[in-house]
Amino acid sequence: MKISVIVPYEGYYQYLKDCLESLSEQENVEIETLLVGSQDDQKFQQLVDTYKDKISLNVIPCSIEEGVAKKRNLGLENATGDYIYFIDSDDYIMPQTLSCLLQDAMQKDLDLVVGRRWITWFKKQVFETMGDEKNEELNLKDKDDDRNHKFLEKDYSDIDDSDEQRRIDLLIRAKKGIRNISVLNILIKRSLIEENHLRFNEGFIYYSDLPFVEGLVMYGHKIDFNDKTLYAKRKHNDPINTPALSQIKDETKFDEFINVYKYAISLVDKESRIRYYLDSKMIKYYSNFFAKKIRRSKDDFWRDERFDQMSILMQDVRDDLLKNMSHYQRKMVKLARNHDLQQTQKVIAKHLAKNKMKKILKNKNEINKYLYRHKYINEPIEENWIMFETFMGKSYADSPKYIYEYLAKNYPGKYKFIWVLNDSKEKLPYEGIIVKRFTKKYAYYLAKSKYFVFNIRQPLWFRKREGQIFLETWHGTPLKRLAFDQEEVTAASPTYKSQFYRQKQEWDYLIAANKFSSDIFKSCFMYTNGTMLEIGYPRNDLLYAPNKDQIALDLKKKLHIPLDKKTILYAPTWRDDEYYGKGQYKFKLKLDLEMMKEELGDEYVILLRTHHYIADALDVTGVEDFAYNLSKYDDITEIYLISDICITDYSSVFFDYANLKRPMLFYTYDIDKYRDVLRGFYIDMEKELPGPLVYSTKEVIDQIKHLDEMNQKYAQRYEVFYDKFCSIDDGNASQRAVEAVFK
Ligand code: C2G
């Protein structure tokens, strides 16, 4: 038995590679692949050559600009298999997907087998290399499925015809909303399609799946599901430059959707269950989505003409399903039927206000946001207020700390300082107000301060007022690719890039520690709107302090670190694919502390320092007299001062530490994955770093035991590195920042 896999190609080469690779990994099935659409370039040709034999790939000529309906139809015309399977060229499937579907289809002689889809923005390689997180990623989607089933029970509780039920289930399972019904991850007997002359309607661009799937449901009687078969529906994570069809914002989408719906209901009786289902989904669409549009829109076309169309559609929805709808939905249908726009708008406004109120009452932060938007933002800006935030209020550190201290020392009484600190263990060294992030006070100061000095991005709901000045210090010279330079952003949703784009527009100033950074920031943040301050890092001023030895000694005493031992700092970064949840990352220590203590303990102690994203606490049981966990200590710059050697990995830590010209090692046990799968780098670590890359505890120990040799070997590279990344730093960067911004 052969499966014809139809792949319409829309021109995003990097996604296609994952897709074809996943087809080549299908186990125990015979397939032919019909790739519809081609590109006239070398990369595309290379890809075709690579997979030609592996997946018996045929390219069917068709302009890339043609719609997906036409491409799929061309695929159908050329298919010779016993079964048809559609996959989009930007998606991928798991290795057992096709064999499981086929096995079911053959064993039970089914017309259709429906697999499971989940929406993800992870590229294939990332997903595959994940550990337990893989299940979390999939489990999240399970919840959606549950909700769909509940909805199904509610709407169809009186139906016991299981065959009919299953077919409708197929449509529902296809996805939550009516607009997302899809033909993906369904194995279809080709004879079902051919005998019933099923084709995609080429007049539709966005929603041609709906009537096609409807045809499958009407004619395909033997249907089953297989939950083990996974299909990754990939969101594109740069919706600004390379949107997927579902991410395109096009006003005409709505009109097409209405036409598709009309076409779909014209294919079935009004009494049929399919019609019942389509209508109920349409009412939900009308009351939950469309309603918002007509309320907010100042555009007459949305408000009047499209309301007219909806009004006509609502006349015709089945009356018997209204009893299953909510009070609000029933009311909306009634008003639409009466063509009462004014009253409809009132009802929507009330409904939305009620929902908003519920949200506000449930979550304190929402109240604060509300106050920010509706109250505080109307009050005058205070000319001498400056707000500081580092790492989401987790620490008093980084460049904002040094800029604050410079201002407080040199301009006493001139400014009022507001620090965002969630856990204010100690008092600020100079006068200042401490507020917790996202509290009422936070919202208040966010609206009224004149200046902001932040080292990460501002909250999404912040709207810079005219007259406010935002200084973004950022938090490191970039090694890892950032934002728009990342082809795929593993650790953030597809909205990340569009949000970033909006946020960076509000940055009046951006600090770059060196020319290398300022060049990169221009591209990775698309930062061309504000002023780049290429002035060195204020946070590194301390590394040039004349009394830095005394500061180091005092700190060692304060932290109870033995004064007679030398210190090794281990400060690794976080991994995009190892997480518990948003901003909560895992970290497993890969250094054998016992071995290190054994080998180096007479001369050294080790200071451990995890990134602020890391939620796991390090365990130093048994080596307490050798390993000191400083992960909670606010300012890593102070820690640099007390460290004789630094071990790090892909963290920007090394760019700063190099200011001290002390020895560095790079413990890069997972470099291939980090560089090639997760992030990509801006520099060649092997060639440019001022110290060796090591891959095991043994190698770490060995290098430290032969420190002089290591220093000698890397001396020249260190100089070049220092010149490139540290030469602006001289202890006066805070002053330069202050003079540029606080004129
Ligand atoms: N940091 C720290 N402890 C660590 C790692 C990092 O205190 N174990 C601090 C350092 O000041 C470092 C900063 O957090 O410079 C940023 O950390 P990175 O590891 O570089 O990672 P990330 O937060 O992803 O920022 O342009 C820089 C990039 O944005 C990287």
Side-chain angles (χ1 to χ4, degrees), residues 391 398 474-480 482 521 525 537 539 570-574 609-613 633-637 640 648-653 656 674 679:
F391 301 123
D398 209 318
W474 201 242
H475 49 268
T477 294
L479 162 73
K480 328 164 175 177
L482 288 167
F521 290 163
F525 299 151
Y537 259 153
R539 68 180 182 188
Y570 179 48
T573 195
W574 56 288
R609 162 80 178 190
T610 52
H611 188 275
H612 72 93
Y613 271 177
Y633 192 77
D634 275 272
D635 185 4
I636 193 168
T637 315
Y640 296 153
T648 181
D649 44 25
Y650 327 105
S651 177
S652 54
V653 156
D656 299 324
Y674 204 101
R679 278 295 187 119

Side-chain angles (χ1 to χ4, degrees), residues 383-385 407-408 410-417 742-743:
E383 289 299 313
N384 65 338
W385 290 9
L407 278 166
N410 291 285
Y411 301 90
K414 183 164 181 198
Y415 295 104
K416 173 165 155 174
F417 303 110
F742 304 86
K743 288 160 193 141

Side-chain angles (χ1 to χ4, degrees), residues 91-140:
D91 297 339
Y92 57 86
I93 51 180
M94 296 300 121
Q96 308 80 4
T97 295
L98 290 184
S99 61
C100 284
L101 289 172
L102 185 62
Q103 206 179 5
D104 269 13
M106 283 165 55
Q107 271 173 6
K108 303 181 202 162
D109 189 28
L110 300 170
D111 294 326
L112 304 166
V113 194
V114 186
R116 199 171 138 207
R117 284 195 298 271
W118 91 103
I119 295 181
T120 185
W121 57 81
F122 290 165
K123 56 182 170 183
K124 180 168 167 289
Q125 244 178 322
V126 171
F127 181 75
E128 281 163 3
T129 50
M130 285 167 107
D132 298 344
E133 298 83 2
K134 207 186 241 180
N135 293 331
E136 274 164 50
E137 162 81 4
L138 292 168
N139 278 341
L140 277 178

Side-chain angles (χ1 to χ4, degrees), residues 419-435:
W419 260 96
V420 181
L421 287 170
N422 299 334
D423 179 17
S424 47
K425 290 157 276 187
E426 288 174 44
K427 271 175 58 182
L428 294 168
Y430 299 91
E431 219 163 298
I433 292 168
I434 292 178
V435 299

Side-chain angles (χ1 to χ4, degrees), residues 481-515:
R481 287 188 166 268
L482 288 167
F484 284 94
D485 286 348
Q486 267 176 282
E487 189 190 293
E488 292 297 304
V489 188
T490 305
S493 78
T495 48
Y496 166 77
K497 284 187 185 171
S498 36
Q499 287 167 350
F500 213 124
Y501 188 80
R502 188 174 63 68
Q503 288 171 311
K504 66 94 193 178
Q505 309 271 59
E506 294 182 329
W507 301 349
D508 297 286
Y509 299 94
L510 172 62
I511 294 184
N514 37 51
K515 178 165 187 312

